[in-house]
Amino acid sequence: MKEPVQRTVWWLLAAGLLWQAVAGTARLAGQVWQSRDVGLVARCTEGTDERLRRGLGADLAIVQGLREVAQPGEWLMCRVVFTAEAFDARTGIVARLTRLRHALFPWPLVTNGGAEPIAAAEAATPPGRSTLLLVLDGEPTPNDRTGWHGVARGEGFQAWRLRRE
Amino acid sequence: MAAAAGMNALLPTFCGAVVAPAVLGAGVVFACGLAPQQGWRVFVAWAYLVGHFAQAWLTAGWLVAGQPVPGWALPLVGAAVGVLCWRWALVRRRSRGEVPPRRDVPGDPWQRLTVVALAVVLLERCSMQSLQPIVTSDEANIWSAKAWVLFTGGDLGSWFAANYVQHADYPMLDPLAQVLAFASSGRALWWENRLPLQGFGFALLLLLSAALERRLPRGLAIAVLVAFTSTTFVHFAPTVYADVLLAFALLAMVDAVARWRSSGSPVWWRLACWAAAAMLATKNEGAMLAVAALLSAVVVRIGTGVPSWPKPGAAWAWLLVPLLTVVAGQGFNAAYGLSNDLTVAADGSSLLARILARGGERLGPVLAHYLGLIVDGAVSGWLVLAMLLAPLAVRRGAPRAHWWWPWLVVVTALVGYVLVFLGTTADAGGPDGAARGLLWHLATAADRTLLHLLPTAALALATCLASARPASVDADGGRGVS
């Protein structure tokens, strides 16, 4: 390389890349170091139950409770408040329902029931069908409404079924 | 879920969804003319990419036919086809008296060692990721949800109508690789289905290390490879997100075209067509990247006079592979009434119309966001930044076609991604406000769009830096690889 500008740029780029390699090595080493407490053997041999328990936390009880009562083709309405003020809370509940939705696949199919899931379920359930409702702590229950029956209860949650005859 | 919890299906998944597609791919790429003697890293990487792509067609056929044979037979059939392809190609080569191509120089042991070390780190990251079941984020909402629905059968239309699968119009290579994992294990899985997708991360490291070794001095090649690995690559490679797969396919396609141009060997054109097809089968962005590559090829052809594609003839028949892929994907989407929300928005506006209508107000935030990613070492390892500056280091008189090709692909694709964000539908109403919608879309997706380009940016950077060296060094890699 005889051109000085090209040579200078080449060395500058090389220096920047070497710096990134050093910084990248430190980042990778840091990530590996942070997970040093988790045994390598366990990562490969641990069963799916343990992984589900870790992934779902306390919601595993909801999943187990709903699995026992859900029928094929049944939808599960959940309350999701959609306001600008509650953006962060909504993000949290949506993430939680996402976990439940996939952990419960295929049935019941977890569905966003909006701010009024009871009314949404009643509007969406045709005769001869049923819909489940997930009630989390602090949310209204349909105990005084026609056609609803409690089907599961656990710490922090209740499940109700609306059956249209 | 239908999955049986409490059991660990790593072994059948590894055999059926990692090894078997690699065997199929080894046979196919060997039949296409690539030999292991040309470099094991290159051969294994190509075998994995082409193998999964070819296996996806078998898997799709198995699903369409209603799963007529047990799932475990699926990888066996794929591997058997691979062995037959290999056998056929071997007999053909022997009958023609062809001598296997040899690599020019042995691989550098330090670079091999680096690849092994980085692979160990990646393996560790994969094992950590797999401690979590796939029940969150786009991993579950888009990629695994589609695989679960495809595998468990039933009325796909009703699942799509219920919006269980988000972005159900996305291409099928990723979900079909997961379906292969389910089929191999005989049941839907919670986390083991990451394994075939994680394999693409390792294959990408192999291919990139070989491409860098062919162009850069040892120290710099190692630095670029380490810098790349420490980017968002190491975050997404352990997941079932399709972004690393797309990045891999783009790198493979660009590198293959570069090697076809410098060597004239038809095998690289064939492989480029396979890689382009894999790109198109991975994400909708693959179509944009294909357009970027096509535009770049035209510019290289016009600007340098060097051919960017073969003369019309038998070689063009290989373009049927990507074309059929597009037709199959569009056919599936048409059958289920699926469309992309970016190209056709809910309000009926087109992407172009939104770019024209909103581009002015959005350009600043979008460019600022991308600039932030490009200078963030943890995201991009400065690879794109260095690539953009690298033409300043190119020696006067160096063949332009060498470095123009990968450099233009990355730059054109970057422009394409900026345009897509200008036309995003993420802020189409809602209580979060328009600006928050755009910023949310940028925050959740822009780093992954940059990841699509990172390996190819590393390749372009290496090609530019190689073009800064004396003319005796071939910027497209005159040296062999291992």
Side-chain angles (χ1 to χ4, degrees):
Chain A
M1 286 186 294
K2 291 178 181 174
E3 300 99 329
V5 174
Q6 282 88 336
R7 190 170 55 216
T8 305
V9 172
W10 197 96
W11 281 108
L12 281 174
L13 292 177
L17 292 167
L18 286 172
W19 166 247
Q20 278 304 306
V22 172
T25 304
R27 274 196 303 274
L28 292 172
Q31 290 172 19
V32 173
W33 179 253
Q34 280 182 351
S35 57
R36 66 190 182 281
D37 293 337
V38 186
L40 285 172
V41 175
R43 298 184 201 184
C44 299
T45 57
E46 191 179 65
T48 300
D49 279 344
E50 288 79 9
R51 294 172 205 253
L52 277 172
R53 194 168 291 119
R54 186 183 298 110
L56 296 173
D59 287 349
L60 184 62
I62 300 179
V63 171
Q64 289 169 336
L66 287 168
R67 272 198 192 141
E68 287 178 10
V69 300
Q71 297 166 359
E74 220 167 25
W75 287 31
L76 176 74
M77 289 282 179
C78 301
R79 185 167 187 262
V80 179
V81 180
F82 194 91
T83 64
E85 293 74 28
F87 183 85
D88 291 334
R90 179 172 65 87
T91 303
I93 188 68
V94 167
R96 187 179 190 186
L97 295 183
T98 297
R99 286 196 299 273
L100 293 176
R101 183 178 172 89
H102 298 300
L104 287 166
F105 180 83
W107 309 114
L109 177 62
V110 177
T111 308
N112 182 342
E116 302 290 344
I118 298 170
E122 290 172 346
T125 308
R129 302 290 297 272
S130 62
T131 300
L132 288 171
L133 172 73
L134 177 65
V135 180
L136 299 174
D137 264 353
E139 294 179 355
T141 61
N143 56 348
D144 56 348
R145 300 176 76 99
T146 309
W148 287 94
H149 305 281
V151 290
R153 178 186 291 266
E155 191 176 347
F157 83 96
Q158 298 174 37
W160 292 71
R161 171 174 286 128
L162 170 66
R163 186 176 296 283
R164 296 275 199 212
E165 301 302 338
Chain B
M1 190 201 286
M7 296 171 67
N8 181 324
L10 267 185
L11 189 60
T13 304
F14 179 74
C15 294
V18 176
V19 176
V23 171
L24 169 59
V28 173
V29 298
F30 190 65
C32 285
L34 188 67
Q37 292 87 346
Q38 289 170 272
W40 276 101
R41 276 178 280 166
V42 171
F43 187 83
V44 170
W46 274 102
Y48 199 71
L49 179 66
V50 174
H52 261 292
F53 177 79
Q55 179 75 54
W57 286 90
L58 294 175
T59 307
W62 180 72
L63 290 173
V64 169
Q67 308 184 12
V69 294
W72 53 261
L74 198 54
L76 285 182
V77 170
V81 171
V83 170
L84 287 175
C85 284
W86 186 289
R87 178 75 189 152
W88 171 81
L90 199 62
V91 170
R92 191 161 170 262
R93 285 180 189 184
R94 282 180 181 159
S95 68
R96 291 181 174 186
E98 291 177 13
V99 179
R102 293 188 337 173
R103 60 172 183 258
D104 302 328
V105 292
D108 174 26
W110 287 102
Q111 300 197 47
R112 286 181 177 178
L113 193 64
T114 304
V115 174
V116 170
L118 293 174
V120 169
V121 171
L122 183 57
L123 192 62
E124 194 275 342
R125 293 289 83 198
C126 290
S127 68
M128 279 303 290
Q129 181 74 26
S130 293
L131 286 173
Q132 297 289 336
I134 303 175
V135 290
T136 61
S137 70
D138 286 353
E139 256 202 311
N141 286 329
I142 297 176
W143 300 110
S144 284
K146 194 165 185 178
W148 288 327
V149 165
L150 288 171
F151 181 70
T152 53
D155 180 9
L156 292 182
S158 66
W159 288 107
F160 294 151
N163 200 30
Y164 177 71
V165 182
Q166 290 185 9
H167 297 294
D169 62 290
Y170 281 12
M172 302 280 272
L173 183 52
D174 179 314
L176 286 173
Q178 293 180 66
V179 169
L180 181 65
F182 301 158
S184 304
S185 307
R187 57 196 168 95
L189 302 169
W190 291 97
W191 55 276
E192 298 96 327
N193 41 319
R194 288 195 182 102
L195 215 53
L197 277 306
Q198 290 169 342
F200 287 108
F202 294 92
L204 169 51
L205 281 183
L206 292 178
L207 191 66
L208 182 60
S209 70
L212 295 175
E213 185 178 334
R214 294 170 57 236
R215 293 169 172 89
L216 291 178
R218 173 196 291 160
L220 210 47
I222 290 175
V224 172
L225 193 64
V226 172
F228 166 74
T229 307
S230 70
T231 63
T232 45
F233 165 77
V234 79
H235 178 72
F236 286 106
T239 71
V240 296
Y241 280 79
D243 300 287
V244 166
L245 169 51
L246 181 59
F248 176 33
L250 177 66
L251 169 72
M253 193 269 290
V254 172
D255 191 36
V257 169
R259 294 183 74 152
W260 168 79
R261 190 182 281 124
S262 63
S263 70
S265 171
V267 60
W268 294 111
W269 173 254
R270 294 169 194 153
L271 292 177
C273 290
W274 281 109
M279 214 164 70
L280 291 162
T282 300
K283 290 193 83 176
N284 286 332
E285 289 95 319
M288 194 278 284
L289 295 175
V291 171
L294 186 61
L295 289 174
S296 305
V298 170
V299 172
V300 170
R301 178 71 182 86
I302 294 171
T304 68
V306 176
S308 288
W309 47 80
K311 292 175 183 171
W316 279 41
W318 286 92
L319 290 171
L320 284 173
V321 181
L323 283 176
L324 281 174
T325 303
V326 172
V327 169
Q330 293 302 313
F332 180 87
N333 285 349
Y336 290 100
L338 305 172
S339 62
N340 185 259
D341 61 349
L342 271 178
T343 51
V344 184
D347 63 3
S349 64
S350 69
L351 179 62
L352 181 61
R354 291 195 304 279
I355 291 171
L356 293 174
R358 307 290 301 277
E361 64 185 273
R362 289 169 166 177
L363 187 60
V366 173
L367 287 181
H369 192 89
Y370 266 98
L371 188 62
L373 296 177
I374 285 171
V375 298
D376 186 342
V379 172
S380 63
W382 291 359
L383 292 173
V384 176
L385 178 67
M387 184 218 74
L388 292 172
L389 297 172
L392 297 173
V394 172
R395 170 177 48 82
R396 281 188 210 123
R400 285 175 299 176
H402 283 326
W403 66 270
W404 272 28
W405 161 242
W407 195 86
L408 281 172
V409 170
V410 176
V411 170
T412 312
L414 261 179
V415 172
Y417 278 133
V418 168
L419 289 174
V420 168
F421 277 104
L422 295 184
T424 180
T425 55
D427 64 352
D432 304 335
R436 192 161 191 175
L438 174 64
L439 297 179
W440 169 82
H441 195 196
L442 284 166
T444 55
D447 59 341
R448 285 182 289 119
T449 63
L450 204 62
L451 172 58
H452 302 161
L453 307 178
L454 280 185
T456 309
L459 175 72
L461 169 66
T463 309
C464 286
L465 295 183
S467 296
R469 299 162 71 199
S472 58
V473 177
D474 181 352
D476 264 337
R479 291 184 289 156
V481 293
S482 63

